[in-house]
Amino acid sequence: MRSYTLLILLLCSITSFSQNCDNTLSGTVTDLHDGSLLIGATLIVAGIEQAVDTDLNGKFTITNLCDDTYNIQVSHPYCLTKGFSVKVSGNTTKNIKLEHHLEELNQITVVGKAFNNKSKTILENRISKEELERFSSGTLGDALNSLSGVSSLNTGNTVVKPLINGLHSSRVVIINNGVRMEDQEWGSEHAPNVDVNSEGNLTLIKGAGALQYSGDAVGGVIVAEASKIPVKDSLYGKTLLTGASNGRGASLTSKLTKSYQNGWYVTLQGTLKRFGDFETPDYILSNTGVFERNASLQVGLNRFDYGIEAYYSIFKNEIGILRASHLGGAQDQIRAINSNQPLVINDFTYDIIAPKQDVTHHLARIKGFKNFDGFGKLSLQYDFQRNNRLEFDIRRGADKNNASLDLKLDTHTLMLDLVSHLTDEVNLKSGLMARHQNNFANPNTGVRRLIPDYDKYDLGIYASADYRLNDKLLLEGGARFDYNKMNVFKFYRTSFWESRNYDQLFPEIIVEELGNQVLTNPQLNFYNASSTIGATYAFNDKYKVFFNYSIASRAPNSSELFSEGLHHSASRIELGDLQFKSEIGHKIALTFQRNNEIFNFSVSPFVNTINNFIVIEPTEIQQTVRGNFQVWEYRQTNAQLLGVDFDASYSFAKNFRFNNQVSLVKGYDRTSDEPLISMPPINTKNEIVYHNPNFKNLRLALESEYLFRQNEYPNNNFEVFIPETETMEIIDLSTPPNAYHLLNFNSNIDFKATKKSTLTIGFKITNIFNTSYRNYLNRLRYYADDLGRNFSLNLKLKY
């Protein structure tokens, strides 16, 4: 009996000693929220002294494991350390997800480098939080203008609209903290209602490749995001105070964040900005002051597999419009355009009088997400926006203090999005969107309404996927469909209705004929399909190429369809066309990139062919009871834009770096075979930067900016009759101004204010030589020069 027992024990021992302990456990460590790779995560296997780190692709391999269950601890900077139990049977694969948060106080953002991209096959440009702080007294358009391929369409110096590769307004979609901005963006002098001080970073996508945001971004997408908040007990904030000589004003912004280890957090932010009349090198730009007040509140809970966030912001901006842009008669128009100075120059003041804008924008959002193992991250968001735009004209009598244009736009949006990591190689994004919009044009302004009352309904569905074929090649494709319906009530002047032949084309939409007016009820439907396909190929660690082909479809906006009257803050009469069809843009974009600490560059050529392109151009001068105004009329044509953006950076000595940007875009009307209006001229920026992190983070930068003269432009000149002289004279609205060169300087240095706070002092000079110039893309260039020299001092306290 003892012999049998001994034999059994011996056999068991032999089996134990022969157990397979040559197994490997491998996988990838990613961010739970967005699937981005976590490099340098440490995995420690309990019970055995073995620890490994993830490589540059977020991958790990643990060797010499037996068929057993192991407890593994995974840690990563700014992540909560987590423990996992893994059963190993043979060679085993296990993908691990951590809740990753960037440290708010030490965020590093690489400008122009593709990481956690919204589109995997378009090179994205980014502006970090530190860069944004240099524009704390400026606008979103000012900040974006620092990127290659981005210009600005200005109305004076305070209304700045981003223009991406020659396109702007409704063709550029702005996403503000997850919400698509709906703020009457169709107007060329309607600036985005976004406070740059409330954002953590800006991402620019030059094209319609990011279908989760929209399918109608013919020009591109701008994504403004708040800074990520760490999951830990902390209280931190910052205050920025900027004073400037030109405009004799200041900007004050402050932000405070409280976060907790259990995932709760709250952020409160506010901005106050006040400037008086700005100045050129030779004279004051009368009535160009600005008074801006903004505030935002963010409250949320962020747990490992679920979370919810509520966000509210109010943006209120009062902007003066150059007094000299509102003129009396045709003779004044000619005098103003031919004069070297504005016809109206008053003493400096902080008062803002008519003509002016007063815009208030409310944004409220609530969003929740839930992670489901094997399914993905499901997000549900509802947001509401109310945009109230008041435009004041120069009026006399009892209504002189009343707005001439009073628009209220309410927008409700519901979105459902799913992000699924199907395999290590395949990621899928899909979603649904429903939106209702109501525009109310106050009829009691005493002035004919430029934009009618309407209800607009949008439904959208999209899906996009990326597939990593191997370590070098990634493929991406997607499609989106949008349905738009507009239910409009509009009064047309009978004379205009008949002059457009609408009485023959649309007799069925007439509701009632009232004397010299016709009440109509247009009900328009647009069906828009968009798609994208692209690839990214990495030759090695330094060289990479991006290719993307996208189709974007954009329904005409309310201004393009229904404008019929004086746009007061634009100082012009605008006329739309009820017959317009959807624009369809085909864009091919290619980028070749080199990434290296010493020398890096990217070159990005593109071709954008747009069918049914809607363009607005000056056609005549018209006398009204409120003065003499240019008439700008929309028309539809076929267009093609092509160009190239170039960025380069070279570290030629210790702490010294040379940066270069060149942007070129050409736009052509293929129907009339002539250049498109308002295309940016070639421009180049060169900058020498000295940055010494070891000496109080000192940074000194000297920038040279040169804009060439635009030599390709349409001839929009026309003759007008001058009653005073009874002669016909030419009004030149076409000829661009001369080329110009500006030199700018900016600097900053850090000081330790207390043990836990840092004071940063920044000093900046723009237009050092006080050069007189006019920008072709400034709508007020007909009447005045651009800004002269400006000194600004920036104080930032981080605590």
Side-chain angles (χ1 to χ4, degrees):
M1 182 67 180
R2 290 180 180 176
S3 299
Y4 286 120
T5 302
L6 184 61
L7 180 60
I8 292 171
L9 291 174
L10 182 60
L11 291 173
C12 291
S13 177
I14 293 173
T15 303
S16 175
F17 281 118
S18 65
Q19 183 180 359
N20 179 20
C21 289
D22 294 326
N23 300 328
T24 62
L25 173 64
S26 59
T28 305
V29 180
T30 59
D31 180 3
L32 171 67
H33 300 291
D34 56 26
S36 57
L37 302 175
L38 297 185
I39 301 168
T42 300
L43 294 87
I44 300 175
V45 183
I48 60 176
E49 294 184 3
Q50 184 174 177
V52 298
D53 293 332
T54 56
D55 61 18
L56 294 177
N57 295 312
K59 297 183 180 298
F60 68 89
T61 300
I62 303 173
T63 59
N64 300 325
L65 297 179
C66 305
D67 289 337
D68 201 350
T69 298
Y70 292 90
N71 293 319
I72 299 177
Q73 178 181 286
V74 186
S75 62
H76 186 269
Y78 317 129
C79 289
L80 291 175
T81 299
K82 291 291 182 180
F84 299 88
S85 293
V86 181
K87 184 178 181 179
V88 175
S89 179
N91 292 332
T92 304
T93 300
K94 171 69 174 178
N95 295 322
I96 297 174
K97 298 179 181 179
L98 292 183
E99 189 169 24
H100 180 246
H101 291 270
L102 289 177
E103 171 60 57
E104 171 68 19
L105 301 181
N106 297 289
Q107 181 181 7
I108 299 175
T109 304
V110 182
V111 178
K113 186 175 180 180
F115 60 98
N116 188 22
N117 285 12
K118 277 66 179 174
S119 172
K120 301 293 179 64
T121 57
I122 298 177
L123 178 66
E124 299 175 359
N125 298 99
R126 299 196 176 191
I127 303 178
S128 68
K129 178 176 58 179
E130 288 73 18
E131 288 290 334
L132 282 176
E133 288 170 351
R134 298 192 183 109
F135 298 94
S136 62
S137 62
T139 67
L140 178 74
D142 293 325
L144 289 166
N145 205 16
S146 65
L147 299 176
S148 65
V150 183
S151 305
S152 58
L153 187 67
N154 290 25
T155 301
N157 56 283
T158 51
V159 180
V160 184
K161 291 183 72 73
L163 187 141
I164 302 174
N165 290 151
L167 301 173
H168 59 87
S169 299
S170 295
R171 299 182 184 95
V172 173
V173 172
I174 298 176
I175 306 297
N176 181 15
N177 282 299
V179 178
R180 173 172 173 150
M181 295 297 291
E182 299 287 348
D183 51 3
Q184 308 283 7
E185 76 286 344
W186 45 262
S188 60
E189 86 304 346
H190 298 180
N193 296 309
V194 177
D195 180 9
V196 294
N197 297 292
S198 66
E199 309 302 340
N201 64 77
L202 291 178
T203 302
L204 171 66
I205 307 167
K206 299 174 186 175
L211 293 177
Q212 68 266 37
Y213 298 115
S214 73
D216 59 351
V218 182
V221 180
I222 297 164
V223 182
E225 299 171 299
S227 299
K228 290 187 177 181
I229 298 174
V231 181
K232 65 179 184 178
D233 292 323
S234 64
L235 176 66
Y236 58 90
K238 66 178 180 180
T239 297
L240 285 85
L241 175 63
T242 302
S245 62
N246 202 331
R248 309 178 198 181
S251 170
L252 175 66
T253 183
S254 191
K255 185 176 183 179
L256 185 65
T257 298
K258 173 61 179 173
S259 63
Y260 299 90
Q261 182 72 33
N262 61 9
W264 284 100
Y265 59 88
V266 59
T267 297
L268 181 65
Q269 181 268 337
T271 298
L272 179 65
K273 189 185 302 181
R274 188 75 166 98
F275 286 88
D277 291 337
F278 291 87
E279 301 177 42
T280 72
D282 302 311
Y283 48 81
I284 290 173
L285 298 167
S286 296
N287 196 48
T288 56
V290 60
F291 186 24
E292 182 179 315
R293 294 86 82 197
N294 312 313
S296 65
L297 175 65
Q298 183 181 13
V299 180
L301 171 66
N302 197 349
R303 292 286 176 83
F304 186 79
D305 59 348
Y306 68 92
I308 188 170
E309 180 180 272
Y311 177 83
Y312 170 77
S313 70
I314 180 172
F315 182 99
K316 185 170 178 60
N317 202 4
E318 187 177 3
I319 303 172
I321 304 297
L322 181 69
R323 175 61 183 86
S325 65
H326 283 234
L327 303 170
Q331 181 65 43
D332 291 336
Q333 284 277 349
I334 293 177
R335 286 178 53 216
I337 292 173
N338 294 334
S339 174
N340 291 325
Q341 292 191 349
L343 299 186
V344 179
I345 301 177
N346 298 320
D347 293 336
F348 173 88
T349 180
Y350 289 97
D351 295 335
I352 301 175
I353 60 175
K356 67 175 183 178
Q357 301 178 9
D358 192 344
V359 182
T360 304
H361 190 87
H362 299 270
L363 186 155
R365 169 179 63 86
I366 185 166
K367 179 179 181 178
F369 75 89
K370 172 67 177 173
N371 283 290
F372 298 91
D373 287 340
F375 182 66
K377 178 182 177 182
L378 191 66
S379 303
L380 179 64
Q381 174 176 304
Y382 165 76
D383 60 76
F384 169 75
Q385 298 176 72
R386 169 166 289 179
N387 185 268
N388 189 207
R389 166 170 287 273
L390 303 174
E391 298 185 1
F392 295 83
D393 193 10
I394 300 172
R395 308 173 74 176
R396 295 174 177 83
D399 61 353
K400 65 179 182 180
N401 295 321
N402 295 337
S404 299
L405 182 70
D406 184 351
L407 298 177
K408 185 181 72 172
L409 183 68
D410 287 348
T411 306
H412 302 263
T413 305
L414 187 65
M415 294 191 300
L416 181 68
D417 294 283
L418 174 65
V419 178
S420 300
H421 304 291
L422 304 181
T423 68
D424 289 344
E425 295 80 22
V426 181
N427 298 303
L428 173 68
K429 295 179 182 178
S430 57
L432 302 169
M433 180 277 296
R435 179 180 295 121
H436 171 248
Q437 195 170 78
N438 173 262
N439 184 74
F440 174 73
N442 189 345
N444 300 316
T445 60
V447 178
R448 182 175 187 82
R449 291 181 287 181
L450 176 68
I451 300 295
D453 296 343
Y454 65 81
D455 283 286
K456 185 170 181 282
Y457 305 88
D458 301 321
L459 293 173
I461 182 171
Y462 78 90
S464 64
D466 61 82
Y467 172 55
R468 180 164 291 282
L469 193 62
N470 51 49
D471 290 341
K472 294 181 178 295
L473 180 62
L474 180 141
L475 304 176
E476 181 181 38
R480 182 179 178 113
F481 177 79
D482 289 280
Y483 167 70
N484 315 109
K485 177 181 175 62
M486 295 187 74
N487 185 24
V488 185
F489 284 92
K490 174 173 173 57
F491 285 96
Y492 281 96
R493 288 176 291 121
T494 303
S495 58
F496 182 81
W497 177 260
E498 295 176 350
S499 69
R500 292 296 179 101
N501 204 29
Y502 289 167
D503 55 332
Q504 302 296 320
L505 295 171
F506 307 108
E508 72 282 358
I509 68 173
I510 296 176
V511 176
E512 189 176 2
E513 296 187 25
L514 303 168
N516 63 351
Q517 293 191 104
V518 178
L519 175 60
T520 64
N521 178 212
Q523 298 189 42
L524 307 177
N525 298 279
F526 298 95
Y527 304 88
N528 297 313
S530 308
S531 61
T532 183
I533 187 171
T536 300
Y537 184 80
F539 295 95
N540 49 44
D541 291 341
K542 294 181 180 179
Y543 294 97
K544 184 181 291 187
V545 64
F546 300 82
F547 170 81
N548 183 268
Y549 168 63
S550 61
I551 301 175
S553 299
R554 183 184 74 88
N557 62 45
S558 56
S559 176
E560 295 162 341
L561 290 166
F562 304 113
S563 286
E564 185 210 353
L566 179 59
H567 194 175
H568 299 274
S569 64
S571 305
R572 68 191 188 192
I573 296 169
E574 296 179 358
L575 303 176
D577 196 322
L578 191 54
Q579 302 177 74
F580 284 159
K581 303 174 183 177
S582 290
E583 287 183 347
I584 301 177
H586 299 259
K587 185 172 184 177
I588 298 175
L590 183 69
T591 297
F592 180 65
Q593 179 191 48
R594 172 192 162 101
N595 257 330
N596 182 269
E597 291 184 1
I598 302 300
F599 175 57
N600 60 73
F601 70 86
S602 66
V603 55
S604 305
F606 69 90
V607 177
N608 197 357
T609 301
I610 307 174
N611 298 325
N612 300 321
F613 183 75
I614 300 172
V615 62
I616 185 170
E617 298 170 326
T619 57
E620 61 176 325
I621 294 289
Q622 192 173 111
Q623 181 71 41
T624 74
V625 294
R626 303 194 178 279
N628 192 271
F629 296 95
Q630 301 172 17
V631 178
W632 287 61
E633 190 168 348
Y634 291 102
R635 68 179 177 88
Q636 202 155 37
T637 185
N638 293 325
Q640 188 173 69
L641 294 90
L642 61 159
V644 62
D645 300 324
F646 178 78
D647 290 87
S649 181
Y650 175 54
S651 180
F652 59 91
K654 183 179 180 180
N655 300 328
F656 282 92
R657 182 168 288 274
F658 172 74
N659 300 321
N660 171 258
Q661 292 180 1
V662 179
S663 296
L664 165 68
V665 59
K666 298 290 185 181
Y668 299 101
D669 183 335
R670 291 308 185 193
T671 303
S672 61
D673 195 25
E674 64 177 6
L676 289 173
I677 194 172
S678 299
M679 288 291 108
I682 304 174
N683 65 87
T684 180
K685 295 178 183 177
N686 296 280
E687 183 183 44
I688 296 178
V689 180
Y690 172 79
H691 184 207
N692 190 343
N694 299 320
F695 181 72
K696 301 184 183 300
N697 200 30
L698 176 65
R699 184 182 185 275
L700 306 172
L702 185 66
E703 180 192 62
S704 166
E705 180 180 2
Y706 189 87
L707 268 78
F708 291 77
R709 184 179 184 273
Q710 177 57 274
N711 293 320
E712 295 185 348
Y713 55 92
N715 183 359
N716 296 122
N717 300 334
F718 46 82
E719 288 187 328
V720 295
F721 178 73
I722 308 300
E724 292 86 349
T725 60
E726 296 186 349
T727 59
M728 299 293 293
E729 295 194 30
I730 296 285
I731 289 194
D732 185 358
L733 299 179
S734 303
T735 305
N738 294 326
Y740 63 87
H741 175 244
L742 302 179
L743 201 63
N744 308 309
F745 170 80
N746 68 77
S747 63
N748 57 262
I749 187 171
D750 293 347
F751 296 96
K752 206 69 177 176
T754 66
K755 186 177 180 180
K756 295 185 177 181
S757 62
T758 302
L759 175 65
T760 301
I761 300 176
F763 179 66
K764 184 177 181 179
I765 311 174
T766 56
N767 195 358
I768 292 176
F769 295 124
N770 210 24
T771 302
S772 296
Y773 69 97
R774 298 194 182 194
N775 190 317
Y776 175 62
L777 295 177
N778 191 333
R779 291 184 49 260
L780 300 185
R781 68 178 174 84
Y782 304 112
Y783 312 108
D785 290 343
D786 272 274
L787 295 186
R789 184 188 298 117
N790 182 40
F791 297 92
S792 63
L793 180 66
N794 183 292
L795 303 177
K796 177 180 68 175
L797 182 64
K798 297 181 71 173
Y799 41 85

